[in-house]
């Protein structure tokens, strides 16, 4: 959200494009992530949210569009003074007793990483509902030392946290597959005909348009 209250960003741009081109009436509504997730689970209203991963758990209560695009391989965000190498396998990183991973509540990192996170000691996983800028500040304050994130938008997040770009670096996770297909997730009450229109429209979006958005952000 810009200082004047206007929405901006990849999902806002793509959402406007997809729903308008599909001829679907829509309105934007800002909700905390966990409230949105709860309303999805309980099928409250005809709601759609953009940019989610499809997981077996979510398929039990939600409908998903076809993929809009696939994220680049995720990275681990750490403080610049971390002793971790610039490249490491996620399996090794998440098995280290010194790794205190911050994860966002109700978020998925993809099947591969979700399985690794699930077997980590509970005391090494910090679950939070905080926004990305606040998570960056948590790491600076020593409340956790690793956060896994897509490279897209890291610059904007660090700027929102107070221009702390020089205090962080990204670590390559060598073993993580590129499986992170971003989709539109909708409540079960959204008609199949609407999902069909969304899918048809997504299939017509030029890849070059999405690539340009990613580069800009």
């Amino acid at each position: 959200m810009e200082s004047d209250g206007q929405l901006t960003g990849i999902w806002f741009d793509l959402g406007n494009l997809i729903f308008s081109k599909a001829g679907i009436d829509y309105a934007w509504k800002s909700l905390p992530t966990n409230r949105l997730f709860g309303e999805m689970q309980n099928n409250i209203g005809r709601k759609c949210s953009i940019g989610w991963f499809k997981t077996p758990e979510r398929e039990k209560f939600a409908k998903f569009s076809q993929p809009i695009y696939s994220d680049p391989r995720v990275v681990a965000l750490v403080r610049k003074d971390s002793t971790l190498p610039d490249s490491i396998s996620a399996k090794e990183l998440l098995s280290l007793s010194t790794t205190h991973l911050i994860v966002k509540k109700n978020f998925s990192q993809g099947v591969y990483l979700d399985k690794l996170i699930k077997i980590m000691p509970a005391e090494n996983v910090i679950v939070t509902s905080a926004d990305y800028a606040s998570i960056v500040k948590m790491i600076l304050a020593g409340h956790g030392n690793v956060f896994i994130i897509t490279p897209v938008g890291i610059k904007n997040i660090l700027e929102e946290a107070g221009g702390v770009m020089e205090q962080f670096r990204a670590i390559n996770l060598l073993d993580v597959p590129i499986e992170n297909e971003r989709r539109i997730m909708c409540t079960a009450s959204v008609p199949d005909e609407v999902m069909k229109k969304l899918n048809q429209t997504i299939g017509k979006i030029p890849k070059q348009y999405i690539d340009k958005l990613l580069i800009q952000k």
Side-chain angles (χ1 to χ4, degrees), residues 83-122:
T83 59
L84 289 166
D86 290 336
S87 296
I88 189 174
S89 71
K91 188 173 184 179
E92 180 181 355
L93 173 64
L94 299 184
S95 68
L96 295 173
S97 61
T98 53
T99 294
H100 290 86
L101 179 71
I102 300 175
V103 298
K104 283 180 68 69
K105 186 177 181 180
N106 289 327
F107 273 57
S108 170
Q109 298 288 356
V111 175
Y112 181 78
L113 282 170
D114 285 350
K115 287 180 179 178
L116 293 178
I117 294 170
K118 191 172 291 186
I119 61 176
M120 290 179 67

Side-chain angles (χ1 to χ4, degrees), residues 165-206:
M165 179 73 72
E166 71 284 353
Q167 298 183 53
F168 285 86
R169 61 190 176 94
I171 293 176
N172 296 315
L173 301 176
L174 302 173
D175 57 334
V176 178
I178 301 177
E179 60 179 358
N180 299 328
E181 293 179 329
R182 299 283 187 171
R183 303 168 186 260
I184 300 174
M185 179 171 70
C186 300
T187 52
S189 59
V190 172
D192 289 339
E193 183 61 29
V194 169
M195 300 305 299
K196 182 179 179 181
K197 288 181 179 179
L198 291 174
N199 285 331
Q200 290 174 339
T201 303
I202 290 169
K204 296 176 182 177
I205 298 176

Side-chain angles (χ1 to χ4, degrees), residues 7 21 26 36 48 108 116 118 129 134 145 170-171 179 191:
L7 292 172
K21 291 288 187 184
Y26 68 98
L36 168 67
C48 292
S108 170
L116 293 178
K118 191 172 291 186
S129 300
S134 297
N145 57 9
I171 293 176
E179 60 179 358

Side-chain angles (χ1 to χ4, degrees), residues 76-84 136-147 166-171:
L77 190 66
V78 300
R79 284 171 43 157
K80 192 172 183 178
D81 58 6
S82 170
T83 59
L84 289 166
V136 167
K137 294 175 182 177
M138 288 171 64
I139 296 176
L140 284 177
H143 304 306
N145 57 9
V146 176
F147 183 59
E166 71 284 353
Q167 298 183 53
F168 285 86
R169 61 190 176 94
I171 293 176

Side-chain angles (χ1 to χ4, degrees), residues 202-216:
I202 290 169
K204 296 176 182 177
I205 298 176
K207 182 177 181 299
Q208 297 91 324
Y209 176 83
I210 295 178
D211 289 344
K212 184 178 179 181
L213 279 181
L214 298 180
I215 292 171
Q216 290 174 345

